Amino acid sequence: MINLEAAVQMFNAIIDPSVLRVVVGTLLRILGVLSASAGVALLFIFNLKPKFYSVFDRIFYWFWVLPSFFLIALVWIVLKLAHLDGFLYDWPAIYLAWFLGIVPLMVWGGVQGLKRVDQNQIKVAQTLGATSAQAFYRVTLPAIVPFLTYTGMQCFYILMTSFSLVMILGGGSPRDTLETRIYQEWFFQMRTGVWSYELFAFLIWQSAFLVLVQGVGVKITSKVPVSVFQVSLEKKVFQKTTLWWCCFLVLWALIGKTKLWMPVAQTLILGTCVALGVVAFIFLIYKTKFKSIVWWGSWVSPIVVAWLVWEGTRMVGWNSQEWVSSMTKAAFVQIVLFLPWASRILFPVLAQVKIHELKMAHTLGATNFQAWQSIEWHRLRPIVFDVLLLMGIFSISEVGSVILFSNENFEPLTLWIQNQYGRFQIQAALTGTVILMGSAGLLITRRVS
Amino acid sequence: MGSSMLPLRQDTFNLKPMKACKNEQLLCKISSRILVVCLFVLGTASCQKMQKYDPDSEVQVASYSTLSSVNGLLPWMKAEFEKQLPICKITLNVSPGATQLVADLEHNSKKVQVIVGLDEAIFKKNESIFLKQEVQSRWVELQQELKQENHSFKKELSFELPLGFLPLDYAPLTLIYDRQKMNELKLPVPQSLSELTEKKYRKTFIVQDPRMSSPGLVFFQSLPPKTPLHLLSDQWRALAQSWGTSYKMFLAGEAPMVWSYLSSMAYHASRAESQNYGWVKLKDGLPLQREGIAIVDTPKNNALFSDHKSCMSQWVHFFYHPSVQAQVYKKQFMFSVLEHIEMPKEFQDLEKERHFQILKNSPQQTDTFLKDFAKRLQPDTHD
């Protein structure tokens, strides 16, 4: 039964001037940084020579998977070295970090479009008297717009869900965005037990923007081939990564000066569970008629999904703070969040099932499983492996999906770093960031198809 | 029925001795007797252990991380207490911060009995879950006992002590400043918190977020009622998540002033740095933070606390032992609530400061303040 009074209060909270001020402020700031980044990116693309296109393939993946902690560390060090301390713990530091994170992505998006531009068309246009700028405007720009739009949407999502970066570089309130206000309201509710209607309002506003942007962008980005976003990772990378992590764990166990091994171990377990869980869910969902369900998580903020799970489990009395329990909840949130990205890679591959070969195998006496294993799995294995690694990278870099479930028993590496920054343990935070960057870097593809 | 029992009885009586015993009867007898003796000894020992074991001898204590850290007050107390009363066992449950002590109670699978280090404001907010009358009468008895031992409770601290709240330690809060940085910036030392809204103090101090930190809450509650928070929000350099963070930032030179405990000066004195730092003697008095002990209200806890010989009761009593109160200075860097306690020399001058500001915020007012805090930082909101 709907409580009318509560519904009215929720509605009032949504249109409350103080809430709207945060909404408008967040939106203006994000759009401002996006516009500036797009301008710089376009300028760069306009002057970029084709022989440098491949350079941005790798840079994109660095910036795509690198945690925001890298940007925090970068901006913090740059501002300190430049004696621009006044910008630190204020909006300029946040803008700078956003800008540095977004521009490479924008350039990469444009480069993907440029790769598909017919150079002959440009030459023809120039032969017919068009200037470089006219050729760019008439030929190049129409080709790269869908790619830029898609990248812009992704950047909007990244900035809208930016959490640690705003919390640390902003120095706390009043430098708030929708994402940080959601956390603050949740924290207040958790601490006092008083229901916060503002929390609900912020959740609604943020989700509305993300869904709206997706709705507008889908038509434009449908022209972008799926293969652009496919990832290909070298198999040896996995072995190297495993070895690297093992060496690291042994080293930390030997040094024994901090309890960092626990966050690292929890991160590894979480990443493994999430990666396996995502792939398992993809296979399960593909067998059903509800393939589109995975897109639900595509444009939702991690903290929103995390809050839904947190509130849901609290309501059913699942309050245990054992690390396994907290990790299970966090893993579930991450699986929901990452399913769309994995499905984008795996669904087209699964659709290319080799029916004739499977039938032939059946005719020759193979069982269903034998046929699938020798024909389909053989085909799927490298891509499944890629997806597992990519999901692992996503998982180890995520903060918003784990922060609500963290406690003294459960503190993955990202949160450990966030807490070190929060406690002003800059050295420890930078060490953690380097470890995280190293791991993500090792997992990054060397070849993007 | 009788006929059905007969074959069984026959079978039972027809049981033949084991072959091994038939052949080696002496060995069998000896070994069986040894077995009986062993069983008897083990059984007796076990019974004695069972008699000794008393589930009420274990006291579940909750506190925050600083108090329970390796060099903190509670691990030292636990060791001392268990040495004096080996029958008692103290189990420490740790929360990351003082503000989460009560929130963590519902998640904790163990039944926490005693909460140590609870802030007064948090106690008031949750007073319905704590024992009151029993604790109050015990507090009166305790004060009489202390008097006999010439260790009376500091009178300046006794104002409006909430019912059921046993004070453990206290510290006045104020602005601590870096003399050199203040001189470099040619900043005069402020005399009151309202002066911080002046332009010259822009980005010159660090304060804690009141939604996450008790000292931060005290700061905002100590401000004159009509202080425009949106003006003040432009002034602070950072709104730190905890006291620890803010002080580390201050020591790293991020701002020339920080909102902290007066006892921070004792810390600097112990490191021969007292000449580098100063504290602001606020003209309205220094707001006070009192930390205390509370007992979770359950019938079992009520009964245990009424029994002066129970482990829980003696554990609480132990907090007022002069040796423990002396450790409050050394391990907590807070002030003891008792007079005539041996204290480190760094505290001696600071201890004389007794011009305190009395904060009279009700739990509802605190909740409302915290709820509206973010709103009040916006310029169009009238404070």
Side-chain angles (χ1 to χ4, degrees), chain B residues 105-123:
Chain B
L105 278 182
E106 65 176 279
H107 300 299
N108 204 317
S109 53
K110 291 171 188 168
K111 302 260 180 203
V112 168
Q113 295 168 294
V114 183
I115 300 186
V116 182
L118 200 64
D119 182 62
E120 206 177 325
I122 301 167
F123 177 87

Side-chain angles (χ1 to χ4, degrees), chain B residues 20-21 23-34:
Chain B
C21 284
N23 299 336
E24 301 164 31
Q25 280 189 350
L26 185 65
L27 186 67
C28 186
K29 274 181 186 174
I30 292 168
S31 61
S32 61
R33 275 165 201 180
I34 289 172

